[in-house]
Amino acid sequence: MANGQWFPPDWPDRIRALADGTLTPVAPRRAATVMLLRDTDAGPAVHMLRRRASMAFAGGAYAYPGGGVDPRDDDQLVRWAGPTRAWWADRLGVDDAAAQAIVCAAVRETYEEAGVLLAGPGPDSVVGDTTGADWEADRAALVGRELSFAEFLDRRGLTLRSDLLGAWTRWITPEFEPRRYDTWFFVAALPEGQRTRNASTEADRTVWIRPADAAAGYDEGELLMMPPTVATLRQLVPYGSPAQALGAAAERDLTPVLARARLVDGEVVLSWPGHDEFTRRIPTGGATTA
């Protein structure tokens, strides 16, 4: 039975073009995504959304809340609690300004797409409820980029809680893709008193699901996913609670994972280093095989 690996029909032609030098890779945009976890009687569950089938990138695929960095977050200092910007810069392998922007993107996108806000009135607190018309107006302004994240926090008198995030892994979209992202994956626990909702216009469904069940759905071909989503789900399976996963994040290797396409015996072989299950073989003039 075929699994649910997302593989666009135009990839073989683009991979061949990259291999023969007729395709020039575009620069990837910085992005962040968050694996939001909560405790259940059956173990931790992760919040996932299904991207609308009409989306140009990964339509119909299950993913986590996330998106691109807002360049304004490089320049405007935000109210900040937890590990310093310098600490995050060292952890993420970037400079201080970029570290702030990436962490801001993780927190902002989780709020924009799931309605969950990792911020509070002080360095040791988290806002308890983000529902209501006034919150929704601010969220919509963030989505429309009418309001920067720093301005949003100042307006609300809130402090970003960087200590509620753990950096988990980093994946870069393959060089043959027309839309490329350099994405840092984070893990976080659902704050007490908050609840998720489908706040994203890009998703038609959201679920809380055990990582093992989501991975099984992929294996059985029932859930469509991109390689980094499946890989991170499998990595989460051993942990018995969100706290355990957060505790493990500090030791995670953040070396970027970037797919490679190379010619081998008349085939283009597409592989992700360290993740053999996603390898695809593409005959130079034929169909794609796993």
Side-chain angles (χ1 to χ4, degrees):
M1 178 183 294
N3 61 29
Q5 183 174 345
W6 180 71
F7 196 87
D10 66 339
W11 268 19
D13 289 341
R14 297 188 65 84
I15 292 169
R16 293 185 191 105
L18 180 68
D20 65 24
T22 59
L23 185 151
T24 301
V26 300
R29 292 180 55 202
R30 297 172 301 164
T33 191
V34 176
M35 300 178 290
L36 190 64
L37 302 172
R38 74 175 184 187
D39 281 311
T40 74
D41 292 340
V46 62
H47 180 71
M48 304 190 75
L49 52 85
R50 184 175 64 188
R51 294 173 59 82
R52 294 186 184 276
S54 59
M55 296 296 295
F57 182 79
Y62 280 80
Y64 312 114
V69 165
D70 182 345
R72 292 175 295 182
D73 291 334
D74 287 88
D75 305 320
Q76 302 180 25
L77 287 179
V78 302
R79 297 169 182 254
W80 190 277
T84 65
R85 293 165 180 81
W87 184 93
W88 278 107
D90 182 66
R91 180 73 180 110
L92 302 179
V94 297
D95 61 32
D96 289 13
Q100 172 180 276
I102 293 163
V103 172
C104 281
V107 176
R108 174 178 46 76
E109 289 287 340
T110 304
Y111 179 53
E112 289 181 6
E113 298 196 340
V116 170
L117 184 57
L118 304 176
D124 300 313
S125 61
V126 183
V127 63
D129 184 10
T130 62
T131 60
D134 58 335
W135 283 102
E136 181 57 27
D138 278 352
R139 193 194 66 80
L142 284 169
V143 172
R145 299 298 182 260
E146 301 161 13
L147 186 67
S148 74
F149 195 57
E151 290 167 342
F152 165 73
L153 293 176
D154 283 343
R155 175 183 296 184
R156 291 278 175 180
L158 296 175
T159 299
L160 182 150
R161 292 285 306 276
S162 78
D163 55 317
L164 299 181
L165 287 168
W168 191 262
T169 190
R170 179 183 178 186
W171 287 63
I172 301 176
T173 308
E175 292 182 328
F176 49 81
E177 254 292 301
R179 294 176 178 83
R180 299 188 63 213
Y181 300 92
D182 183 353
T183 304
W184 284 262
F185 285 69
F186 295 84
V187 65
L190 179 69
E192 185 175 351
Q194 293 194 38
R195 51 196 172 95
T196 57
R197 64 184 189 278
N198 184 6
S200 173
T201 58
E202 299 179 355
D204 60 12
R205 184 187 184 207
T206 61
V207 296
W208 281 101
I209 186 170
R210 293 173 60 243
D213 293 339
Y218 165 87
D219 290 335
E220 294 164 5
E222 297 174 355
L223 301 181
L224 182 67
M225 297 180 198
M226 294 174 283
T229 309
V230 184
T232 50
L233 285 169
R234 298 201 198 286
Q235 291 161 0
L236 288 172
V237 169
Y239 300 100
S241 69
Q244 287 183 13
L246 272 165
E251 303 302 320
R252 296 278 309 169
D253 181 9
L254 296 186
T255 302
V257 179
L258 174 64
R260 295 189 302 166
R262 63 192 191 280
L263 283 171
V264 179
D265 298 329
E267 291 182 317
V268 176
V269 178
L270 174 62
S271 61
W272 281 260
H275 301 273
D276 292 344
E277 70 167 299
F278 305 125
T279 298
R280 293 274 186 145
R281 296 181 179 275
I282 305 159
T284 53
T288 304
T289 59

